Amino acid sequence: TAGGADEQVSDSGWAGHSMFTGLLLQAMKGDADKNNDRLLTATEIASYLVPKVSAISLQTPAFGNLPGSEGGDYLIKFTPGLADEKEDPNQVKEASNIENKKALELYKKFKIEEAKEHFKNAIGLDASNVEAINNLGFLYYKEKKFEDAIYWYEVSLKQDPTRVITYLNMADCYYELGDTQKAIKFYKHYLKLNPQVKESLKASLQKRGLSLD
């Protein structure tokens, strides 16, 4: 399955696919062929998908044996073409950064939906591109889609829990949703990591009728 029974499964992937489906297609192209024998097993696909999907979403795919399989494994033979050769990790990261930059340029031109797709492409290429993840969350925030923004900010913090600005972004989202308890929790965490803004943050929150005391 794409996720656990109590998990939110994200449909917001790239190239029109969900997170799970997009990565499954990459696996089927040969990315999951860890021993390079041109044979894909269900176990290889599972071991490829679980960490990849959970890294860029809040869901963890679940895998198991079918009744009657007696512990056997499925085999899929493929013949990689030139387009399917495994790419150099540095080139992939560079391609992800280029997609992120394209998205930022589109955002500046108010081409929001196109910007979203390029941010998602950047994340699809490199799940560790925290800047692209955070930017996508901020774009949803600007659209006042605060729950979607929170989703991507959580993914961002999952990748990099030391990213200070994301705690402020999360706090602002919860404030806009009217959840002042969670908002204050994240404002306090932001202040803990960035104590030099204490007075300015307090002044800003007082205007909103909030107190950190």
Side-chain angles (χ1 to χ4, degrees):
T1 61
D6 58 346
E7 293 177 333
Q8 177 185 353
V9 175
S10 174
D11 290 326
S12 302
W14 58 96
H17 301 297
S18 69
M19 290 292 181
F20 178 85
T21 302
L23 285 167
L24 176 59
L25 291 173
Q26 289 298 114
M28 298 292 285
K29 284 183 177 181
D31 285 9
D33 184 23
K34 290 189 174 181
N35 59 4
N36 296 311
D37 63 356
R38 297 192 179 184
L39 288 174
L40 286 175
T41 66
T43 301
E44 282 181 318
I45 293 172
S47 64
Y48 173 87
L49 282 176
V50 171
K52 290 277 188 181
V53 174
S54 61
I56 58 174
S57 69
L58 302 178
Q59 67 199 69
T60 302
F63 295 87
N65 292 323
L66 292 173
S69 66
E70 299 181 357
D73 213 340
Y74 283 96
L75 287 176
I76 302 169
K77 186 176 181 179
F78 70 98
T79 303
L82 291 176
D84 295 329
E85 292 295 329
K86 295 178 182 179
E87 298 178 82
D88 181 274
N90 292 326
Q91 291 180 342
V92 172
K93 285 184 178 294
E94 180 59 27
S96 176
N97 289 332
I98 289 172
E99 285 293 310
N100 184 57
K101 289 176 183 177
K102 285 180 181 177
L104 290 171
E105 290 301 316
L106 288 165
Y107 172 71
K108 291 175 184 177
K109 296 176 182 177
F110 304 101
K111 296 181 178 180
I112 305 301
E113 293 305 315
E114 291 181 53
K116 281 182 189 175
E117 288 306 309
H118 282 281
F119 280 135
K120 290 175 183 178
N121 288 342
I123 298 165
L125 287 165
D126 178 13
S128 65
N129 191 336
V130 180
E131 184 178 348
I133 296 170
N134 205 74
N135 286 341
L136 182 57
F138 181 72
L139 191 152
Y140 279 117
Y141 175 82
K142 297 297 287 185
E143 289 188 305
K144 300 188 183 300
K145 296 178 179 178
F146 303 116
E147 291 180 348
D148 288 328
I150 287 171
Y151 177 90
W152 287 106
Y153 288 147
E154 287 179 337
V155 173
S156 174
L157 289 176
K158 189 176 180 181
Q159 285 284 345
D160 182 8
T162 66
R163 191 174 175 86
V164 178
I165 192 63
T166 307
Y167 291 97
L168 177 62
N169 294 337
M170 289 279 283
D172 287 340
C173 284
Y174 281 117
Y175 171 78
E176 295 292 346
L177 289 171
D179 192 337
T180 55
Q181 186 175 359
K182 283 188 178 179
I184 289 173
K185 171 187 171 183
F186 280 97
Y187 283 129
K188 285 183 175 180
H189 202 119
Y190 169 69
L191 187 59
K192 182 180 179 180
L193 296 173
N194 196 22
Q196 62 267 32
V197 302
K198 181 177 181 179
E199 295 306 318
S200 61
L201 180 61
K202 278 191 172 183
S204 176
L205 294 182
Q206 281 178 353
K207 294 178 182 179
R208 296 180 172 185
L210 297 178
S211 173
L212 298 179
D213 299 326

